[in-house]
Amino acid sequence: MPFRPIQRLTALTASLTLLTACTANHAPDAGSQQPRSGGTLRFGLDYAPTCLDPQLVTGATPNLGLLDTLTAQDPLSGKIVAWLASSWQIDGTATTFTFHLRDGVTFSDGTPLNAAIVKTNYDKIVALGAKAGYGSQLLAGYRDATTPDERTLVVRFARPNAQFLQATSDPALGVVAAATLAKTPDQRCQGAIVGSGPFVLRSYRPNQEVVVVGGREGYDWAPASATHHGQAYLDKIDVTFVPESGTRTGSLASGQVDVIGNVLPQDEPRFDGNGFHVLSRIEAGIVLGLIVNENRPLLQDQKVRTALLKGINRGQIVKTSLTSRYKPATSVLSSTTPYYTDLSAELAYDPDGASALLEQDGWKVGADGIREKDGRKLTIDVIFGAVRSLELVQQQLRDIGVDLKLRQLDLPSLGSALSSDGYDLFLRDANRADPDVLRTLFSSTRIGAQNIADPELQNALDAQAATADAAKRAALVAEAQRQLVQHGHYLPINEKPTVVAAAATVHGLAFTAGATLTFYDTWLS
Amino acid sequence: MALLTYVAQRLLHAVVVLWAAYTLTMLALFVLPSDPVTTMLLGGANSDMTVDRVQLETLRHELGFDQPLGRQYLTLLGRAVRGDFGESVQTGQPVSALLWNGLVPTAELATAALLIAVIAGSAVALISTSTRIRPLGGLLQSATAVGVSIPSFWLGLTLIELLSFRWRLLPAVGGRGLSGLILPAITLGIPAGSVIAQVFGRSLRSVLAEPFIVTAEAKGAGRVRIQLRHALRNAALPPLTLAGMIVGSLLGGAVVVETVFARNGLGRIAVDAVTNQDLPVVEGLVLLSAAVYVTTSLLVDLAYPLLDPRIIGTRGMR
């Protein structure tokens, strides 16, 4: 059965929202000039990656265009388009995927891309297991891959796995050459990476910088979602790791770098105009919000959960402490995620409704303004990692008589709190441009996720993973989002953008569907 | 012969110090409730912050973190004795390679900072004790007090703001070679230089009050000759004693300076290792810095007799 792209019904709502979210995607004057080749782009990245190989990294690593993927995801429509694979078919149960590879693709060491090398890549990722954390998660249930001929790859899963098509557009499943597969994971992380991408790694100094060069002879296999074909415009990208945000903004303002990552809300106005421009895109996946630990008896009470949901004033949070590039959450999924459903009515601020629910449930306001029931105070603890302001949420919930205790933890303590189930709420998000991310968080025994005991929800989540039919999948994903919100299994707060700033001389910066910055179409004037 | 026995004794001391540092660090890390493998798999920012339980157990087993603590300790100690410090949990890189990659840039930075500290510190001390202009002496003395107490985080950012962002003289980050080394070396060198200036200044002043200086003056020696020929050598012992401490403060200061200036080095590696409780790397760093301390103080002790031959006779070999 041929693969059918996202159907009209969802494509309409999805592309409308996606379009509005992407208006800031390109430099303001990109259309008025002809792109020119050449030059070095200096990029100030806001973190130092622990590993450069996208297949192996467990945290973040920049998308430097070293690897190509079988497919690409169009950031505007969310559709999967051809890249190393020119076409594909998916069987009715979403367990067998057949890819027809493009001809004439070579890795930067001259070796050709064929079905066998893609198969070896997948086998290796599965064998590496935890050492290829995210990739092995995307390949969960992998049975085998076969290569009927040099250009055809058949991947089979032990159980339905509809997310796999989008997964083939993720750098974590990017294809590396045999030379790289022969290296140890440590050597690969340190830069022994040979791919078929438009850029080639030149040098890497951990904690300091990485340099990639463009100008790959014969590169003519860019994905349909790119705005040009052929070699990358840039000769070179110098990526410097600058974790200090003040140093980052100062470096851009003084012309020492051309682009910086992670511009904080308070720094945005400085680069809006004045010879600079700010670009942003809402991250795809689960919005920033609080996941509920439903092993806690207090939070097994749906009335308490929904009261919390109604007690959060999302509009006020965005207005008070963020900028217009952020948006109040309108679902569990962000508006740039395929199959997103607008549930803003369910997520309206309703403090009276929240209080009424708690009253009904027997929680009476005590002398200190905090509700009590059977001598127990309505105190709920929240854990979170990165520096984020939850004080406003705390105040808002205080108004309905809930005492929120904020606990900011470093990563190791967060890990032990999550593995020992020692928390009520956990502030998180999850970046992925496929709705299957819902299954990762709400139908899973993974540490940090929930396996929600709600048969209807679980059915919807399982069924969406088992259909390649876009319309059916859209309906199931919409159902799952509604269940999660109506029953208060997740307390969405706001949509989070990736925000970068660049000098006016930088054009054609683009974001992937997942809101990672890419440089293939970038040029300097 | 006495020197040989002395050195042998000191080496034995060094081994005990290294062992104690290794063991105490291990104890401290074992007391913490968190698990380095979970931390690694959680992956920090931009990952989906979930961990597969089966993968976690497999990896914990592969890395030996599922063993009883006593056995873990003995295995790691045994390997360390043979020079194998294991691999970073976070990156899988051999600890020895990781530390070597960090040691080179940190050594460059520390050497440059030490040069600045010694030259500027001694110059300030000499000028403040020999100047005839009273207010200048006072000003220099108070400047050293400021230099000692200034937080290097603030100092680094201020230098970047002025010299790099405003006047555009030097690169703030990512600078290669000498131009990239100047600002961080100044930031790291100023506190150390101020300590040298204070201690050296104080000891110069007390030496200058000694009767033999009066004798030299009476014999007609000039100000400069008195300072350089007579006082300097006698006043150099106290600042030399500080050398061990200063090397330590340079290593510690590298943590802040390398972060502000986005440089690779032992300081950055230490921040990452401690943040992620990457046990093998933390142990490697502790051993390395203990070794640096021990070596520096040994060298200082051996240098005393060169400056003051009386030390061998009176102090003997401790």
Side-chain angles (χ1 to χ4, degrees), chain A residues 266-456:
Chain A
Q266 64 269 26
D267 292 325
E268 283 181 23
R270 186 173 170 190
F271 299 113
D272 261 330
N274 315 319
F276 300 96
H277 58 276
V278 177
L279 294 95
S280 71
R281 179 181 160 88
I282 296 282
E283 289 173 3
I286 310 264
V287 297
L288 187 72
L290 302 161
I291 192 165
V292 181
N293 180 0
E294 298 189 21
N295 296 326
R296 292 286 169 101
L298 172 66
L299 295 168
Q300 282 165 3
D301 185 341
Q302 190 184 315
K303 289 205 172 93
V304 173
R305 295 198 306 260
T306 22
L308 295 174
L309 196 78
K310 288 172 187 292
I312 299 174
N313 186 346
R314 296 165 185 83
Q316 189 191 31
I317 290 165
V318 171
K319 215 177 197 173
T320 319
S321 51
L322 301 168
T323 69
S324 60
R325 292 187 169 85
Y326 295 71
K327 283 168 132 190
T330 48
S331 172
V332 178
L333 295 177
S334 79
S335 54
T336 50
T337 317
Y339 308 104
Y340 148 84
T341 304
D342 186 348
L343 298 169
S344 41
E346 279 89 340
L347 288 170
Y349 178 49
D350 179 13
D352 299 335
S355 298
L357 268 176
L358 291 172
E359 286 289 334
Q360 267 176 37
D361 204 28
W363 292 96
K364 302 291 171 207
V365 180
D368 54 355
I370 304 300
R371 290 176 188 275
E372 298 170 6
K373 180 174 161 182
D374 309 330
R376 210 201 130 163
K377 287 202 172 292
L378 190 46
T379 299
I380 293 171
D381 107 299
V382 186
I383 58 169
F384 56 108
V387 189
R388 268 169 195 152
S389 149
L390 272 174
E391 277 74 13
L392 210 50
V393 176
Q394 190 181 34
Q395 274 176 35
Q396 292 167 353
L397 292 180
R398 168 99 211 187
D399 289 345
I400 60 163
V402 177
D403 176 27
L404 209 58
K405 291 257 183 280
L406 308 183
R407 270 202 294 154
Q408 185 178 358
L409 303 176
D410 57 18
L411 197 57
S413 319
L414 204 60
S416 61
L418 291 175
S419 24
S420 66
D421 237 6
Y423 66 100
D424 291 331
L425 303 172
F426 166 38
L427 180 72
R428 61 140 56 245
D429 56 6
N431 193 346
R432 167 118 200 244
D434 188 88
D436 197 62
V437 68
L438 293 171
R439 210 162 48 116
T440 319
L441 283 205
F442 303 108
S443 174
S444 154
T445 55
R446 297 171 71 86
I447 293 169
Q450 288 288 314
N451 200 2
I452 294 168
D454 178 340
E456 256 183 278

Side-chain angles (χ1 to χ4, degrees), chain A residues 208-209 256 428 445 447, chain B residues 49 51 53 164 172 176 264:
Chain A
Q208 195 155 333
E209 58 165 23
Q256 297 181 41
R428 61 140 56 245
T445 55
I447 293 169
Chain B
M49 297 290 272
V51 176
R53 289 174 204 265
S164 181
R176 287 168 206 102
N264 186 34

Side-chain angles (χ1 to χ4, degrees), chain B residues 32 76 161 203 238 289 312 318:
Chain B
L32 294 170
L76 289 173
E161 183 62 41
S203 105
S289 22
I312 291 191
R318 272 184 296 159

Side-chain angles (χ1 to χ4, degrees), chain A residues 66-81:
Chain A
L66 303 175
L67 309 188
D68 293 334
T69 45
L70 289 191
T71 64
Q73 189 171 16
D74 188 325
L76 293 176
S77 64
K79 281 184 191 173
I80 304 299
V81 298

Side-chain angles (χ1 to χ4, degrees), chain A residues 57-119:
Chain A
V57 69
T58 50
T61 205
N63 188 337
L64 297 173
L66 303 175
L67 309 188
D68 293 334
T69 45
L70 289 191
T71 64
Q73 189 171 16
D74 188 325
L76 293 176
S77 64
K79 281 184 191 173
I80 304 299
V81 298
W83 198 349
L84 294 182
S86 42
S87 64
W88 50 86
Q89 291 97 35
I90 304 170
D91 74 339
T93 55
T95 46
T96 304
F97 295 72
T98 308
F99 295 93
H100 303 283
L101 302 186
R102 196 188 162 105
D103 215 357
V105 174
T106 54
F107 293 102
S108 59
D109 63 356
T111 55
L113 175 106
N114 54 34
I117 188 70
V118 182
K119 170 189 155 56

Side-chain angles (χ1 to χ4, degrees), chain A residues 47-48 50 58-60 129-131 133-134 136-137 185-186 189-190 205-209 211 238 240-244 246-251 253-257 283 410-416 418-419 426 428-431 440-441 445-449, chain B residues 33-35 38-53 55-56 59 62-63 90-94 98 101 105 153 157 160-161 164-166 168 170-177 259-265 268-269 272 274-277:
Chain A
Y47 60 89
T50 51
T58 50
K131 285 185 179 155
Y134 191 47
S136 70
Q137 191 184 323
D186 159 44
C189 280
Q190 296 305 308
R205 286 202 281 175
N207 282 331
Q208 195 155 333
E209 58 165 23
V211 179
D238 280 350
T240 311
F241 312 138
V242 195
E244 227 316 288
T247 313
R248 216 161 50 237
T249 51
S251 299
S254 62
Q256 297 181 41
V257 296
E283 289 173 3
D410 57 18
L411 197 57
S413 319
L414 204 60
S416 61
L418 291 175
S419 24
F426 166 38
R428 61 140 56 245
D429 56 6
N431 193 346
T440 319
L441 283 205
T445 55
R446 297 171 71 86
I447 293 169
Chain B
S34 45
D35 167 49
T38 312
T39 308
M40 187 274 275
L41 290 177
L42 268 183
N46 287 28
S47 82
D48 69 11
M49 297 290 272
T50 63
V51 176
D52 186 291
R53 289 174 204 265
Q55 284 190 344
L56 173 67
L59 198 57
E62 264 174 46
L63 298 171
Q90 203 67 22
T91 64
Q93 215 185 345
L98 187 73
N101 288 342
F153 190 75
L157 288 180
I160 288 181
E161 183 62 41
S164 181
F165 296 161
R166 199 159 303 172
R168 306 192 180 189
L170 291 162
V173 291
R176 287 168 206 102
T259 305
V260 171
F261 291 92
R263 284 176 62 89
N264 186 34
R268 278 292 281 288
I269 293 172
D272 288 344
V274 172
T275 317
N276 296 307
Q277 289 170 19

